């Protein structure tokens, strides 16, 4: 299967290097050099993954990611040249699935891309049934769709993986470190705040009142559990 990737960065030498490396692996690659061009491409074409720099002309990467999330759940890897952790967290807040900081090793970037593509392209393999129902939530493993009171809720690939894991392990408490390992594996640098951001985003989508959850609970000092 040929994966279609969009690279968004205003540094043309970096784009050229990433594009060449991904094409060597048999991927189809489009490029954009500013935020507006990236958003237009994301609207007009179907991509399997977007590599999105934070600092872009015309529209910054976090704004692009936020607008993409209004119409697509395509996996997004944010790229930042800054060392400030807040940039990484802000990227995740606006819907990114992962982040990587410049300068990065192209092999590390490719490993993350392949891991995300592998997770997002195959349905979760679980029990005998293709669906699991808990309270008002229906989750379909094969189609990777989620419904609450028969209304579809659109989740990113990582949000779906996290919800699937929670629903497969009802009542069991997992630390942020456990969840980071189970859902992200070796894709991240080990920042447990990634888990907090995704739990918060998931709560905002599935809870009627996120501050008073009835699905995803916090066990203070330990971690999270689904009930």
């Amino acid at each position: 299967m040929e994966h279609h990737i969009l690279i968004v960065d205003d540094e043309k030498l970096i784009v050229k290097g990433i594009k060449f490396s991904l094409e060597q692996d048999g991927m189809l690659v489009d490029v954009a050099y500013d935020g507006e061009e990236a958003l237009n491409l994301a609207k007009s074409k179907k991509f399997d993954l977007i590599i999105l720099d934070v600092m872009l002309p015309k529209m910054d990467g976090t704004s692009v990611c936020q607008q993409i999330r209004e119409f697509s759940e395509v996996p997004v890897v944010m790229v930042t040249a800054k060392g400030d952790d807040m940039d990484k967290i802000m990227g995740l807040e606006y819907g990114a699935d992962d982040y990587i900081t410049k300068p990065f090793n192209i092999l590390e970037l490719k490993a993350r891309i392949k891991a995300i593509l592998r997770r997002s392209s195959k349905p979760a393999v679980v029990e005998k049934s293709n669906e699991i129902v808990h309270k008002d939530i229906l989750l379909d493993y094969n189609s990777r769709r989620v419904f609450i009171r028969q209304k579809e809720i659109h989740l990113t690939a990582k949000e779906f993986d996290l919800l699937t894991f929670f629903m497969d392990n009802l009542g069991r408490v997992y630390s942020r470190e456990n969840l980071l390992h189970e859902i992200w594996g070796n894709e991240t640098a080990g920042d447990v705040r990634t888990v907090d951001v995704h739990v918060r985003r998931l709560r905002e989508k599935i809870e009627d009142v996120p501050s008073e959850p009835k699905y995803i609970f916090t066990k203070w000092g330990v971690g999270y559990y689904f009930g």
Side-chain angles (χ1 to χ4, degrees):
M1 178 181 176
E2 185 178 55
H3 291 293
H4 196 180
I5 310 296
L6 174 62
I7 304 171
V8 188
D9 197 311
D10 61 337
E11 297 186 57
K12 294 188 177 182
L13 282 178
I14 290 178
V15 170
K16 184 178 180 181
I18 298 174
K19 183 174 186 290
F20 175 79
S21 185
L22 295 181
E23 287 177 339
Q24 289 294 102
D25 285 354
M27 298 185 188
L28 180 64
V29 180
D30 280 11
V31 302
Y33 300 107
D34 65 64
E36 289 183 0
E37 183 184 10
L39 190 58
N40 288 333
L41 279 172
K43 288 178 178 178
S44 62
K45 294 186 178 183
K46 179 175 175 57
F47 295 100
D48 297 301
L49 184 140
I50 297 176
I51 302 168
L52 181 62
D53 193 49
V54 172
M55 302 299 292
L56 293 170
K58 297 186 179 179
M59 184 186 302
D60 65 82
T62 52
S63 297
V64 173
C65 187
Q66 187 176 29
Q67 291 197 38
I68 286 174
R69 281 292 169 256
E70 294 177 2
F71 61 86
S72 174
E73 304 305 327
V74 58
V76 175
V77 178
M78 298 293 294
V79 180
T80 176
K82 298 179 180 180
D84 189 351
D85 286 342
M86 187 53 64
D87 286 328
K88 303 168 187 176
I89 299 303
M90 286 297 289
L92 294 172
E93 287 280 10
Y94 285 119
D97 294 87
D98 199 0
Y99 62 83
I100 192 168
T101 304
K102 292 180 182 176
F104 53 79
N105 185 306
I106 187 64
L107 295 178
E108 179 188 358
L109 177 62
K110 286 167 67 174
R112 294 193 187 198
I113 290 171
K114 289 178 180 178
I116 292 172
L117 290 173
R118 187 167 59 249
R119 288 173 181 267
S120 62
S121 63
K122 66 178 182 180
V125 178
V126 266
E127 312 162 14
K128 297 177 182 178
S129 173
N130 294 327
E131 299 177 348
I132 183 170
V133 178
H134 180 66
K135 296 180 180 177
D136 293 327
I137 299 180
L138 183 150
L139 182 147
D140 188 308
Y141 296 114
N142 289 342
S143 67
R144 294 180 67 86
R145 299 171 72 187
V146 176
F147 300 85
I148 297 182
R149 292 183 288 274
Q150 300 183 327
K151 178 182 178 182
E152 184 167 6
I153 305 300
H154 296 285
L155 304 180
T156 66
K158 279 293 184 292
E159 289 166 357
F160 182 88
D161 290 343
L162 183 60
L163 180 59
T164 299
F165 185 79
F166 274 138
M167 292 185 72
D168 282 338
N169 296 278
L170 286 175
R172 183 171 178 181
V173 182
Y174 287 91
S175 69
R176 294 185 297 170
E177 290 81 1
N178 291 151
L179 292 169
L180 190 70
H181 174 73
E182 293 288 347
I183 307 303
W184 283 266
N186 295 322
E187 296 171 29
T188 71
D191 191 340
V192 293
R193 286 175 297 178
T194 299
V195 175
D196 294 332
V197 170
H198 280 77
V199 167
R200 182 160 60 251
R201 279 169 38 195
L202 188 54
R203 276 176 171 159
E204 289 171 355
K205 293 183 178 183
I206 70 171
E207 303 282 7
D208 293 330
V209 182
S211 61
E212 300 175 8
K214 64 178 183 179
Y215 295 112
I216 304 175
F217 299 95
T218 301
K219 190 170 183 64
W220 297 108
V222 182
Y224 298 106
Y225 67 98
F226 202 84

